[in-house]
Amino acid sequence: MTYRLLGRTGVRVSQLCLGTMNFGGPTPDDTATRIVDAALDAGVNFVDTADMYNAGRSEEVVGAALAGRRDRVVLATKVHFRMGDGPNDEGNSRLHILRACEQSLRRLKTDYIDLYQIHRPSPEIPVEETLDALTDLVRAGKVRYIGCSTHPAWMVMEALAASERRGLARYVSEQPPYNLLDRRIENELVPLATRYGLAILPWAPLAQGVLAGRYPSETDLPADSRAARLPGSIYARRVTIRGVNAGLRFTALAREHGKTPGQLALLWCKDQPGVTSPIVGPRTL
């Protein structure tokens, strides 16, 4: 395994990051542990989860799977989405971030989070409030580094400027959707990241399975696919006629070169300019 620096930090992470969105959901707990075992045995030292994945169950499963070997991985999780019925149980306010961090630490069975990420923007909340809360978590030793996910380039730049202006903790990474069929970040986010030393951690490098040859047609959805299990979700909406046809051509191309389509999609993604570590979220071993 080859390792890359996480943005401007001195932390080295594997070229692939293990995503755990399926843990605590369609993936049984014992299978999740075996997936973690296989990833660590292959040299993967980067694991990503989020508090909202399966209502906290993903974090619990990850914490249990890493018992006794927590220090072997760079552990990332996220905060933003609704985690309760109260009006302050979501978003990027100081109140929600501090409360959510404590809950994530408990579920993960750890004293610290290596990379704590703001899962989505909260445009109504000043970025300074969000960064103030994250800075306090860093100073308290509960968080090592901070990042964001699926933020437009102008919001990332706004946060970097606020950190510089006020001496606050600085984002070291952005986690955007990126794959051969979705290259929007190349216009602004990639140049921003390379100029200011941000790690890009792409999610959906296989285009929700479209580039892995999972979908024979737009309507013939495998019963165990995310598009079938989550109708109306971003996963289902991205399975289009155009995408499926491109995926089928891509599958044929990969096989011509002795690769599975998933392998070729990952190879393409991980070696694009600015990319540090694509996130691969397997359901099965």
Side-chain angles (χ1 to χ4, degrees):
M1 179 66 70
T2 302
Y3 300 88
R4 294 171 171 171
L5 289 175
L6 183 67
R8 298 200 312 186
T9 78
V11 176
R12 296 187 182 276
V13 295
S14 49
Q15 291 183 89
L16 294 179
C17 175
L18 176 62
T20 63
M21 186 176 184
N22 286 314
F23 289 11
T27 300
D29 293 1
D30 58 342
T31 300
T33 299
R34 289 198 297 272
I35 289 173
V36 171
D37 292 342
L40 268 58
D41 288 345
V44 171
N45 76 333
F46 198 8
V47 178
D48 178 81
T49 184
D51 59 359
M52 58 82 65
Y53 291 167
N54 296 306
R57 280 286 296 137
S58 174
E59 287 186 329
E60 292 174 350
V61 173
V62 169
L66 291 175
R69 49 187 179 175
R70 164 68 181 88
D71 292 341
R72 289 183 56 185
V73 304
V74 175
L75 182 56
T77 191
K78 312 180 199 74
V79 57
H80 168 81
F81 286 105
R82 177 164 290 282
M83 291 297 292
D85 297 329
N88 294 305
D89 290 335
E90 65 176 338
N92 303 338
S93 69
R94 177 182 183 85
L95 179 61
H96 180 58
I97 289 172
L98 296 182
R99 180 184 297 162
C101 183
E102 295 295 340
Q103 294 169 346
S104 287
L105 289 169
R106 175 177 50 79
R107 286 189 292 264
L108 289 165
K109 297 182 175 63
T110 185
D111 296 327
Y112 65 98
I113 295 163
D114 294 302
L115 178 62
Y116 200 38
Q117 302 157 104
I118 299 299
H119 208 157
R120 292 292 189 276
S122 284
E124 75 283 5
I125 297 173
V127 68
E128 290 83 359
E129 175 170 348
T130 300
L131 291 169
D132 272 332
L134 294 171
T135 299
D136 285 349
L137 290 172
V138 171
R139 289 172 178 166
K142 297 178 180 180
V143 169
R144 301 294 190 248
Y145 299 99
I146 63 171
C148 55
S149 174
T150 320
H151 282 50
W154 72 267
M155 281 189 166
V156 178
M157 190 67 243
E158 180 187 41
L160 294 178
S163 295
E164 180 75 19
R165 186 171 63 250
R166 298 189 53 182
L168 301 173
R170 180 186 187 275
Y171 288 154
V172 304
S173 63
E174 158 61 20
Q175 188 180 126
Y178 185 45
N179 55 64
L180 191 58
L181 300 181
D182 183 355
R183 302 175 65 173
R184 292 170 293 172
I185 68 168
E186 294 175 2
N187 293 327
E188 294 185 348
L189 185 62
V190 170
L192 169 68
T194 53
R195 169 67 69 90
Y196 292 100
L198 284 169
I200 295 179
L201 312 173
W203 59 268
L206 305 185
Q208 282 82 39
V210 173
L211 290 175
R214 288 277 283 151
Y215 300 99
S217 73
E218 182 191 18
T219 55
D220 187 10
L221 305 179
D224 58 356
S225 67
R226 288 186 189 176
R229 288 187 286 108
L230 303 170
S233 69
I234 60 171
Y235 308 106
R237 292 198 302 271
R238 293 183 182 212
V239 181
T240 64
I241 293 176
R242 227 176 134 190
V244 167
N245 288 337
L248 293 175
R249 295 197 302 273
F250 182 78
T251 296
L253 178 67
R255 289 172 179 160
E256 285 177 19
H257 292 275
K259 297 280 189 292
T260 68
Q263 286 173 327
L264 187 58
L266 283 174
L267 285 168
W268 181 89
C269 187
K270 81 177 183 64
D271 288 329
Q272 293 306 302
V275 169
T276 298
S277 183
I279 299 168
V280 187
R283 180 180 56 84
T284 66
L285 183 57

